[in-house]
Amino acid sequence: RGLCALLRQMLPTDVGRSLEGAPPLRVLDLSRNPQLSDLAVAELSRTVQKIPSSNLREVNVRYCRRLRARSAFELLQLVPKGREQAASNLRVINGVDVYALHAAGKMPTSRAAVAEGNPLVIRIPSSFAMGQGTWLHALSECDAYFFAHILHHFPHIPYCHLHIEVPSANDLPPLECQVFEQHGAVKDAGGHDSTSTE
């Protein structure tokens, strides 16, 4: 609520209450926040929608384990549609460049080209392997629903590609190391263990 109040104070149209001399807020990164709730994301979404002419370029609430499907629907309200694209500076939502997706969707393509097109790549950093059980919370329910709806809204994306970075066995805790040894982690050309799935 305090953050939303700050955003409202930075409204460029509200000169009387604006924060004079305050630097523009371009990136709002709340990722990996274990206390962030669906109610907070809903209030944040409503606030951002009221200030389309702000300098805010990116909003990120990925990897927040408490967020459910409701937050995904709230984030989808931030995706600019039609004429809203010209009025909004918000470009990246949860790591997805929606402006680039809109531009790609306007290009004429055949069904064969769509089937062979570039996928939506979701990257899970190796830092999630640094604690016991952290892999279970790498993607929240909100993340899964949000990416699924992105595929639905942008049909020119053929599929989703999940890339999981796996650190070397020396950097893993004993329990996590045993899990990856059982599943046979594969080393890439750079000598780092990695695996991916679609």
Side-chain angles (χ1 to χ4, degrees):
R1 290 179 179 179
L3 178 60
C4 292
L6 175 63
L7 290 174
R8 288 190 289 267
Q9 290 288 337
M10 299 178 71
L11 276 171
T13 56
D14 194 357
V15 180
R17 297 176 53 195
S18 62
L19 298 177
E20 297 182 1
L25 181 62
R26 301 186 184 277
V27 178
L28 186 57
D29 188 357
L30 301 174
S31 61
R32 306 194 189 199
N33 189 331
Q35 298 180 347
L36 193 63
S37 65
D38 291 325
L39 183 60
V41 173
E43 186 169 353
L44 175 64
S45 175
R46 288 192 292 268
T47 301
V48 172
Q49 290 179 65
K50 293 178 181 178
I51 49 175
S53 59
S54 70
N55 293 306
L56 189 62
R57 301 290 181 87
E58 179 178 352
V59 173
N60 190 358
V61 294
R62 289 178 68 177
Y63 316 126
C64 298
R65 64 184 65 178
R66 291 184 60 189
L67 298 185
R68 305 302 180 196
R70 174 187 174 183
S71 291
F73 290 113
E74 293 291 349
L75 291 174
L76 288 171
Q77 303 306 313
L78 299 179
V79 178
K81 307 172 185 66
R83 297 180 179 178
E84 296 178 3
Q85 298 181 46
S88 175
N89 289 322
L90 188 60
R91 182 184 181 99
V92 181
I93 303 174
N94 263 20
V96 177
D97 192 332
V98 293
Y99 265 63
L101 292 183
H102 277 297
K106 294 178 181 178
M107 299 176 61
T109 55
S110 62
R111 289 187 177 182
V114 171
E116 299 177 358
N118 296 324
L120 174 65
V121 179
I122 303 174
R123 174 177 165 268
I124 306 297
S126 60
S127 57
F128 276 100
M130 295 298 103
Q132 182 175 340
T134 52
W135 287 100
L136 300 176
H137 306 287
L139 285 178
S140 67
E141 181 178 312
C142 169
D143 296 333
Y145 272 86
F146 178 76
F147 293 131
H149 279 279
I150 287 294
L151 292 177
H152 175 73
H153 284 286
F154 298 95
H156 61 279
I157 305 175
Y159 58 93
C160 179
H161 183 88
L162 179 63
H163 179 81
I164 303 176
E165 294 182 357
V166 181
S168 63
N170 295 332
D171 297 330
L172 284 171
L175 180 59
E176 300 289 343
C177 183
Q178 293 175 10
V179 172
F180 286 110
E181 287 178 353
Q182 292 174 2
H183 288 77
V186 182
K187 285 191 175 181
D188 59 21
H192 300 286
D193 293 335
S194 65
T195 184
S196 63
T197 183
E198 295 179 7

